[in-house]
Amino acid sequence: DAGVTQSPTHLIKTRGQQVTLRCSPKSGHDTVSWYQQALGQGPQFIFQYYEEEERQRGNFPDRFSGHQFPNYSSELNVNALLLGDSALYLCASSLVGVSYGYTFGSGTRLTVV
Amino acid sequence: AQSVTQLDSQVPVFEEAPVELRCNYSSSVSVYLFWYVQYPNQGLQLLLKYLSGSTLVKGINGFEAEFNKSQTSFHLRKPSVHISDTAEYFCAVSSSSGNTPLVFGKGTRLSVIA
């Protein structure tokens, strides 16, 4: 049974560019959450998707947007990249209403130059 | 809203010695508590979680944690560490009422010295 799959594992982008990160949830899970983990910091909640809608959002600017597809997979989009967006982006899947059952992917390492 | 404070950013310890990683949380509602481990260049792996019931929780790799409601703490312990325990450890909290996101501490870097 595959866990959470994220792609790509690494990528390098230039300031001002746009990036899309992808996440496939664990089988049986219907909710996807995205976290940003800057170097030396704990993960920070970006937003959560359920039934193809953004349900909760952390303190991140509108440059960060997302999408969830009918098969529960999700994308994280970041526009107008800044150097400070360099981080490990983690995807976590869960079942709606079960706030103790998160499964994390291995993350996408984004470097903005 | 919830918050987590991990009191030590780095903890060096000799192999086979005991270790305690400290975590305090703040919340106005009942909570679930978690400890995750992150090895270099990897995602987060759940070590253990407290949902309800016994305040002493046992997890994987010989780790355990004790929930102390009066002190709002959830410290992680292991009686004898191994070199392979060298990693970053994160304490996290979520509300027990609803699908709230996990709130993480800043992490504690455990370095096991041979």
Side-chain angles (χ1 to χ4, degrees):
Chain A
D1 178 28
V4 177
T5 304
Q6 292 188 242
S7 64
T9 55
H10 298 82
L11 75 166
I12 300 173
K13 290 287 188 178
T14 303
R15 276 180 299 175
Q17 285 188 317
Q18 180 266 346
V19 68
T20 297
L21 312 182
R22 296 176 175 81
C23 173
S24 292
K26 180 179 178 179
S27 177
H29 284 180
D30 56 10
T31 301
V32 173
S33 303
W34 287 92
Y35 288 80
Q36 180 196 66
Q37 186 180 14
L39 197 62
Q41 300 294 317
Q44 298 289 316
F45 174 69
I46 303 174
F47 43 53
Q48 183 181 80
Y49 275 82
Y50 169 66
E51 289 187 333
E52 303 179 45
E53 290 190 13
E54 184 183 294
R55 300 292 178 171
Q56 298 183 72
R57 190 178 182 93
N59 189 25
F60 279 80
D62 292 345
R63 297 187 299 109
F64 289 77
S65 63
H67 189 78
Q68 186 180 34
F69 299 93
N71 66 353
Y72 307 121
S73 67
S74 177
E75 290 181 347
L76 164 65
N77 302 292
V78 187
N79 295 321
L81 284 167
L82 304 173
L83 296 179
D85 295 332
S86 295
L88 179 68
Y89 288 84
L90 294 166
C91 171
S93 71
S94 60
L95 270 173
V96 66
V98 181
S99 60
Y100 56 82
Y102 290 91
T103 299
F104 283 83
S106 296
T108 294
R109 173 72 64 186
L110 171 65
T111 302
V112 182
V113 298
Chain B
Q2 292 83 40
S3 67
V4 174
T5 301
Q6 291 186 243
L7 298 161
D8 306 295
S9 58
Q10 297 185 59
V11 173
V13 62
F14 286 103
E15 193 174 17
E16 298 184 7
V19 69
E20 178 180 83
L21 306 184
R22 298 181 294 167
C23 171
N24 286 93
Y25 70 92
S26 173
S27 177
S28 57
V29 299
S30 296
V31 296
Y32 295 143
L33 292 157
F34 309 82
W35 276 98
Y36 285 86
V37 61
Q38 186 176 40
Y39 299 103
N41 301 313
Q42 294 191 27
L44 299 174
Q45 180 182 3
L46 181 66
L47 276 177
L48 49 80
K49 60 179 180 277
Y50 170 79
L51 304 181
S52 65
S54 173
T55 57
L56 183 62
V57 180
K58 294 189 181 298
I60 62 172
N61 301 341
F63 284 94
E64 63 180 32
E66 186 157 17
F67 171 56
N68 188 320
K69 187 174 182 179
S70 62
Q71 297 188 7
T72 60
S73 68
F74 190 56
H75 301 332
L76 180 70
R77 303 184 182 99
K78 186 170 182 177
S80 175
V81 296
H82 303 289
I83 294 289
S84 60
D85 292 323
T86 294
E88 192 82 21
Y89 291 80
F90 293 96
C91 181
V93 64
S94 70
S95 166
S96 62
S97 57
N99 199 27
T100 60
L102 288 171
V103 175
F104 287 87
K106 292 187 175 182
T108 296
R109 172 71 178 173
L110 175 62
S111 298
V112 181
I113 306 162

